Amino acid sequence: MILLTVLFLCIISTYSASVKGHTTGPSLSNDKIYTFAYTAEVYVDRAKASLKKSAGYRISSDVDVNLLWRNPDNDDDQLVKVTIKNVQVENVNERPDAKNIFKGKNTEKIIGKEYLAALQQPMVLELARGKVDISGKCNTTYQVQQDQVTKIKALDSCEIIKTGFTSHNKILDVSTKATSATIYVLEDSFFKSIKAEENYVFFLNSRRKTNAKIVSKQRLELKSVQAGPGLIAGKQAAGVVKTLDSNYVSMPLVAETVKSECKKCPSLSEHWKSIKEYMHPDKLSKAEAARNFLSLIQSIRKATKEEILQIIKSEKKELLPQIVDAVTSAQTPESLEAILEFLDFKDASTSILQERFLYACGFASHPSEMLLKSLTSKFKGDIANEEIRETLVIVMGALIRKLCDRDGCKLPAVVEAKKLILNRLEKAKKDDNVKMYLLALKNALLPEAIPLLLKYAESEEGHISNTAATAIQRYDPSFLTDEVKKTMNRIYHQNRKVHEKTVRTTAAAIILNSNPTYMEVKNILLSIGELPLEMNKYMLSMIQDIIRFEMPSSKTVRRVLKDMRSHNYERFSKPGSSSAYSGYITRGPDISSTYSLDILYSGSGILRRSNLNIQVFDRNAQLHAGQVVIEAQGLETIIAATPDEGEENLDSFAGMSAILFDVQLRPVTFFQGYGDLMSKMLSATGDPINVVKGLILLTDYSQEFQLQSGPRASADFQGGLAIDISGGMEFSLWYRESKTNVKNRVAMFISGNTEVDSFFIKTGMETTLEVETTLDFISTVQFSQYPFLVCMQMDRVESPFRHSVTKYESLPSGRRYTARKGTAEPLPGCEYPLHQENSDMCRKVFSTASDSSSSWF
């Protein structure tokens, strides 16, 4: 029920601070009835929109107030009687009759006969020194000017139990700005009028143009003061209330959560049947898939475990992965119980569904301790598929990090999972098991794991040392102590043993990105010219990129380059095709995004590593949105070439590793060993291998709060991503040419609903935006000559972008008003610029490609 008395209580409490046991400021007199005119207005719209076109409603009434009782031992303990009458409900803005949902309805029909009668029943408020406020305990300031007092409340500081949840990463989350101000005008030492206004503004951190606001205005004006009944005698408030009416029931100030009953809402099963056609695997890169994914999550969050199991068990195989994505992303106790009951990790035939479940857990926006506890239990049990076992522990690492980021590192489930991973890593004997636990730590980013990672980075070889080094690279620079930098320097300069190029270049990147000293930079620059040719070229390109892109260490690098021993033509003129380059994808007022693309080749011209990174950041936060790394090793024997130093004993291998939204995924292997390589070459179709495909809940924000005028308000923002990332590596022995291709197809849909929901009227605004795009990265290498020709391309196709805003008001009867505005525009495609040397190479590659066949093994 709308609490029209709330404002009056706040008014009284403003002036009922006790000084030496007595009330100061305006107070109710004995034997008087005060009649006020009260108005409350609610507006919902975009943040900067004029209120004249907002959705909303107005409630007005008369309010009679009189003092019933005062504690004889404490003047600040009082009972006040409040009677509401002449209640009216209407539009907050004038509208033609056709758009007026209240047209032809009186207050009794709008509110309901029983509710209106209850609202107009007298209520008794107990004031105990006036220290009561529905906003909780807040920082408040007062400004006094003659007969006017302004009260400003910092709503963001209020100590009150909050309901709902927010997204894990600030970039993907929603920010709120809330203000409250009340102006009291006095006449003859009593209230003449009070005006109050509170504003709540919500906006997406990634796009502040997607926003909403709720404005609540109230006004109380004194109409008359008349003679009234005298005070009731008594020593305790409870006894006085009983003498008035034994039917009075004690109730808290904070309003109960009230949601309008949805009479025509479909069940979960009905909703799924209406959208399932858009969830087919072939449509997962479309915005419509992301839109319906979000709506399915909302439906699942309202469903029981049995209802969820019903749709899972009755659906076809091709649609089950999408249902698993949605059920896991719902993150309710019922959905978790349902999916764990459905999945059998002892059954290898359902490994695709198990993997989709695990990745959805890894991307969870607000994971629970119970989720991590459940996964730890599964890991300790029997798992039929070894790849699922690896994925499970990698995802456990991601959940540990998310729970620790929310001050949950000491939760029993987190402590148990950390202990399990660290202990089993130290006891692991097989390389595959060691790598599995290292990947889990690459997600968990535990400070206590750094010494272990350093040990494996420096003492091991191949995948083990490389995985440990790249795990260290993910830590914030504040964790990279002097001991870490000493180890990285030893690896790069090979002080204790010979290391392969991929580990050495990763060590160099860690040093240069963690506030390097003058001597650290100088020693790296002095090494250039003495390295293997392609590593030499790569390191030179990395240094140039740091300077060009103004990275944090660029000032130190520039200082060192003033020394001609470090900077001379002979050292920096060595040939090679490896490169490192960074650039902007977008630069905006809210967020910016960058890409970095580096490629390292072996001395024989075969790809050693290609690394594409995408970072998103604003002034306060950063998100590693994506990384795709393709690695190859031990391929020199197939072209009768000599391996580089430190790589003579490496087994033939090629594979892909990906990070998506700060979560390291399980790496994918193209081939392992010479026999597997030759088999794949002879049977290759050229089709790309899928790295990740599915639906991801990116933004997940839901908050509910009470307006000072009484009704409950809510803000819900969800963002869904439909994603399909695939990659492949091809090469021709005949034409001595290799090609790697990474295709990223994504569709995003974001919806926000800001609403004030009373039991008799609902008003709000829904905003949506959607975009579809494809980002391709292709590198072509011709190694028939040296230096070999390398062409790198990174393209984004033209993308549709659509945005809409819908404001609405509705009654339980079904009468509804809506106003919708939408825009659609294309985002032009582009080819991202790389360095000029690459452009020159591409011209040569394509000129020679026209003379050769496109036949591939």
Side-chain angles (χ1 to χ4, degrees):
M1 175 177 290
I2 297 293
L3 297 179
L4 299 183
T5 58
V6 170
L7 176 64
F8 183 78
L9 181 59
C10 293
I11 295 165
I12 297 297
S13 68
T14 303
Y15 289 95
S16 50
S18 178
V19 178
K20 295 183 180 180
H22 296 281
T23 304
T24 60
S27 60
L28 297 173
S29 300
N30 303 344
D31 309 325
K32 301 287 185 182
I33 294 179
Y34 298 83
T35 300
F36 295 89
Y38 173 76
T39 304
E41 298 173 340
V42 172
Y43 302 82
V44 184
D45 211 324
R46 289 169 295 155
K48 294 185 178 181
S50 168
L51 297 182
K52 294 181 180 179
K53 294 184 178 180
S54 300
Y57 59 87
R58 178 187 294 117
I59 299 176
S60 58
S61 71
D62 291 333
V63 183
D64 288 344
V65 180
N66 65 285
L67 185 64
L68 288 178
W69 169 84
R70 181 180 285 118
N71 191 328
D73 299 323
N74 181 3
D75 286 351
D76 291 330
D77 188 10
Q78 305 172 347
L79 287 178
V80 177
K81 180 180 179 182
V82 178
T83 305
I84 298 172
K85 56 187 181 182
N86 303 326
V87 179
Q88 301 291 326
V89 184
E90 58 188 336
N91 286 119
V92 74
N93 288 310
E94 288 188 13
R95 291 216 182 91
D97 291 348
K99 296 182 179 181
N100 185 352
I101 62 172
F102 302 114
K103 178 65 178 177
K105 289 182 176 286
N106 57 30
T107 304
E108 187 175 286
K109 288 185 178 181
I110 295 170
I111 296 179
K113 185 176 180 180
E114 292 183 3
Y115 283 116
L116 181 60
L119 179 63
Q120 296 184 146
Q121 283 286 330
M123 288 172 275
V124 177
L125 304 176
E126 181 179 6
L127 297 180
R129 300 184 66 187
K131 302 295 184 180
V132 182
D133 195 319
I134 61 167
S135 302
K137 187 178 180 181
C138 313
N139 295 332
T140 306
T141 59
Y142 296 88
Q143 299 172 357
V144 181
Q145 184 178 6
Q146 293 183 345
D147 290 334
Q148 179 174 301
V149 177
T150 301
K151 173 185 176 182
I152 301 174
K153 188 188 302 181
L155 294 178
D156 294 335
S157 70
C158 296
E159 298 176 11
I160 192 170
I161 297 176
K162 296 182 179 180
T163 60
F165 41 82
T166 60
S167 300
H168 172 256
N169 189 281
K170 295 297 183 184
I171 297 281
L172 303 173
D173 204 22
V174 174
S175 290
T176 306
K177 184 178 181 180
T179 60
S180 171
T182 305
I183 299 175
Y184 303 84
V185 177
L186 307 178
E187 185 177 83
D188 297 332
S189 299
F190 196 70
F191 301 111
K192 179 181 179 182
S193 67
I194 305 103
K195 294 180 181 179
E197 180 173 327
E198 57 182 327
N199 291 264
Y200 293 87
V201 179
F202 308 89
F203 52 85
L204 281 177
N205 291 336
S206 58
R207 189 178 188 271
R208 296 173 74 94
K209 288 183 179 179
T210 301
N211 55 50
K213 70 177 175 184
I214 295 175
V215 179
S216 175
K217 293 185 177 184
Q218 299 177 91
R219 185 180 180 89
L220 197 68
E221 292 185 325
L222 181 64
K223 294 176 65 176
S224 64
V225 180
Q226 300 176 350
L231 296 180
I232 300 175
K235 291 188 176 182
Q236 293 184 340
V240 174
V241 172
K242 283 187 177 180
T243 62
L244 286 173
D245 190 335
S246 60
N247 294 321
Y248 272 120
V249 177
S250 178
M251 297 181 67
L253 252 187
V254 178
E256 297 177 358
T257 300
V258 177
K259 290 288 184 181
S260 302
E261 183 180 351
C262 186
K263 298 179 180 179
K264 297 181 180 180
C265 290
S267 65
L268 174 59
S269 178
E270 292 169 337
H271 180 72
W272 169 245
K273 288 178 182 177
S274 69
I275 67 169
K276 60 191 298 184
E277 64 177 291
Y278 303 107
M279 308 293 277
H280 194 276
D282 295 340
K283 299 181 179 180
L284 284 192
S285 59
K286 300 295 182 183
E288 199 65 36
R291 175 199 292 266
N292 287 287
F293 169 62
L294 296 182
S295 70
L296 182 58
I297 289 174
Q298 294 300 325
S299 187
I300 292 171
R301 284 177 172 170
K302 301 171 186 175
T304 64
K305 171 186 169 182
E306 290 71 25
E307 291 172 326
I308 297 169
L309 282 171
Q310 180 185 350
I311 66 164
I312 298 177
K313 292 179 177 180
S314 61
E315 196 44 75
K316 296 178 182 178
K317 185 177 180 180
E318 61 187 19
L319 292 175
L320 270 178
Q322 288 71 264
I323 295 180
V324 170
D325 288 340
V327 170
T328 311
S329 299
Q331 301 172 78
T332 65
E334 293 80 8
S335 65
L336 179 59
E337 288 181 22
I339 196 66
L340 289 175
E341 181 175 316
F342 173 73
L343 294 174
D344 182 5
F345 284 79
K346 298 176 184 178
D347 182 4
S349 66
T350 60
S351 58
I352 293 177
L353 300 181
Q354 296 166 29
E355 184 177 59
R356 291 286 278 266
F357 160 69
L358 292 173
Y359 280 146
C361 291
F363 296 128
S365 55
H366 51 279
S368 64
E369 182 186 10
M370 180 55 67
L371 175 59
L372 179 58
K373 184 177 180 179
S374 300
L375 295 191
T376 304
S377 176
K378 291 293 181 183
F379 184 74
K380 291 178 178 179
D382 295 332
I383 300 175
N385 188 307
E386 191 59 32
E387 289 184 347
I388 293 300
R389 180 178 175 82
E390 183 181 350
T391 305
L392 200 160
V393 75
I394 291 172
V395 167
M396 285 170 58
L399 294 181
I400 289 171
R401 181 188 180 192
K402 290 186 176 183
L403 289 169
C404 283
D405 284 348
R406 299 202 176 194
D407 301 321
C409 253
K410 294 183 180 180
L411 293 171
V414 177
V415 173
E416 181 187 5
K418 289 195 296 183
K419 185 177 179 181
L420 182 149
I421 294 171
L422 292 171
N423 288 349
R424 293 203 179 185
L425 172 59
E426 291 190 275
K427 295 176 182 178
K429 302 299 182 184
K430 295 181 180 180
D431 284 355
D432 287 346
N433 286 338
V434 172
K435 183 180 177 183
M436 174 175 73
Y437 294 117
L438 287 175
L439 288 168
L441 293 178
K442 190 174 179 179
N443 271 333
L445 298 181
L446 300 173
E448 61 265 39
I450 291 177
L452 262 178
L453 294 173
L454 291 175
K455 184 186 80 170
Y456 284 103
E458 187 171 21
S459 63
E460 297 294 333
E461 297 180 351
H463 294 309
I464 303 301
S465 60
N466 191 43
T467 302
T470 56
I472 295 170
Q473 192 176 21
R474 292 200 69 204
Y475 280 83
D476 186 270
S478 61
F479 290 100
L480 304 182
T481 61
D482 289 342
E483 184 59 36
V484 174
K485 295 171 72 175
K486 286 178 183 177
T487 305
M488 293 300 109
N489 275 289
R490 288 197 301 267
I491 291 173
Y492 176 75
H493 295 291
Q494 303 188 113
N495 297 135
R496 291 184 177 176
K497 59 175 290 189
V498 175
H499 295 275
E500 56 185 287
K501 292 191 298 293
T502 53
V503 180
R504 294 182 69 189
T505 53
T506 299
I510 292 171
I511 296 167
L512 293 170
N513 290 328
S514 55
N515 191 27
T517 65
Y518 181 91
M519 286 307 300
E520 285 175 331
V521 174
K522 183 175 182 179
N523 287 335
I524 288 176
L525 288 174
L526 288 174
S527 71
I528 297 177
E530 308 298 329
L531 303 169
L533 281 177
E534 285 303 322
M535 184 177 173
N536 200 80
K537 181 67 174 179
Y538 179 87
M539 289 303 303
L540 174 60
S541 187
M542 181 192 291
I543 294 295
Q544 291 171 334
D545 194 44
I546 288 172
I547 296 171
R548 187 189 60 82
F549 206 61
E550 293 291 340
M551 295 181 186
S553 60
S554 60
K555 291 183 179 179
T556 306
V557 173
R558 290 180 191 277
R559 283 178 55 212
V560 175
L561 287 175
K562 292 179 181 179
D563 181 354
M564 294 308 296
R565 289 173 297 176
S566 304
H567 185 199
N568 59 71
Y569 177 79
E570 181 181 359
R571 188 181 303 281
F572 283 17
S573 62
K574 304 291 173 118
S577 301
S578 299
S579 65
Y581 187 86
S582 301
Y584 281 97
I585 297 176
T586 59
R587 299 182 76 173
D590 305 324
I591 62 168
S592 297
S593 57
T594 62
Y595 68 89
S596 63
L597 176 59
D598 59 78
I599 295 187
L600 176 64
Y601 293 98
S602 68
S604 56
I606 295 178
L607 174 72
R608 195 67 178 81
R609 181 186 66 204
S610 71
N611 187 350
L612 171 63
N613 277 283
I614 297 176
Q615 302 277 355
V616 181
F617 57 92
D618 62 13
R619 293 184 181 90
N620 305 308
Q622 185 169 338
L623 171 67
H624 196 173
Q627 179 190 63
V628 179
V629 180
I630 294 180
E631 292 187 82
Q633 66 179 39
L635 304 184
E636 284 77 12
T637 54
I638 65 175
I639 59 171
T642 302
D644 292 338
E645 180 188 24
E647 302 180 359
E648 297 87 353
N649 300 320
L650 296 179
D651 194 13
S652 298
F653 166 84
M656 183 187 304
S657 175
I659 291 175
L660 191 59
F661 300 110
D662 266 339
V663 177
Q664 168 71 53
L665 309 182
R666 179 180 57 80
V668 175
T669 299
F670 297 153
F671 58 81
Q672 178 80 53
Y674 186 77
D676 188 27
L677 164 62
M678 298 309 296
S679 174
K680 296 285 176 63
M681 285 176 59
L682 295 173
S683 62
T685 62
D687 295 333
I689 295 178
N690 182 259
V691 179
V692 60
K693 188 173 189 176
L695 298 156
I696 301 173
L697 181 62
L698 287 183
T699 297
D700 197 15
Y701 177 94
S702 180
Q703 295 294 316
E704 191 172 284
F705 49 95
Q706 184 176 352
L707 299 178
Q708 293 180 33
S709 57
R712 305 287 291 189
S714 62
D716 296 276
F717 288 80
Q718 275 77 41
L721 190 75
I723 190 165
D724 186 349
I725 299 178
S726 59
M729 179 179 178
E730 306 173 88
F731 50 88
S732 168
L733 293 178
W734 184 261
Y735 293 104
R736 299 177 73 83
E737 185 172 286
S738 69
K739 180 181 291 185
T740 60
N741 187 348
V742 177
K743 182 178 287 290
N744 303 269
R745 294 190 298 165
V746 297
M748 183 175 65
F749 183 86
I750 296 176
S751 67
N753 189 33
T754 310
E755 187 174 82
V756 179
D757 188 358
S758 304
F759 69 93
F760 66 91
I761 183 175
K762 182 187 295 185
T763 183
M765 184 186 75
E766 182 177 357
T767 181
T768 67
L769 63 90
E770 59 183 76
V771 65
E772 299 171 8
T773 191
T774 299
L775 183 67
D776 288 332
F777 164 58
I778 302 170
S779 70
T780 305
V781 183
Q782 294 180 352
F783 47 90
S784 57
Q785 58 182 318
Y786 193 87
F788 34 84
L789 300 178
V790 181
C791 173
M792 296 179 291
Q793 299 165 274
M794 193 162 71
D795 305 330
R796 189 189 72 207
V797 301
E798 183 177 290
S799 312
F801 178 84
R802 291 177 285 270
H803 178 252
S804 70
V805 174
T806 303
K807 291 177 280 191
Y808 60 87
E809 300 160 359
S810 64
L811 299 177
S813 63
R815 184 179 290 188
R816 184 178 177 91
Y817 159 77
T818 59
R820 186 179 185 278
K821 184 178 181 181
T823 59
E825 57 183 292
L827 297 178
C830 68
E831 181 172 346
Y832 291 101
L834 301 178
H835 46 84
Q836 185 60 45
E837 188 179 63
N838 179 71
S839 301
D840 297 337
M841 285 269 195
C842 287
R843 294 189 187 97
K844 294 179 181 179
V845 167
F846 291 129
S847 66
T848 58
S850 61
D851 301 327
S852 62
S853 169
S854 60
S855 174
W856 291 82
F857 284 103

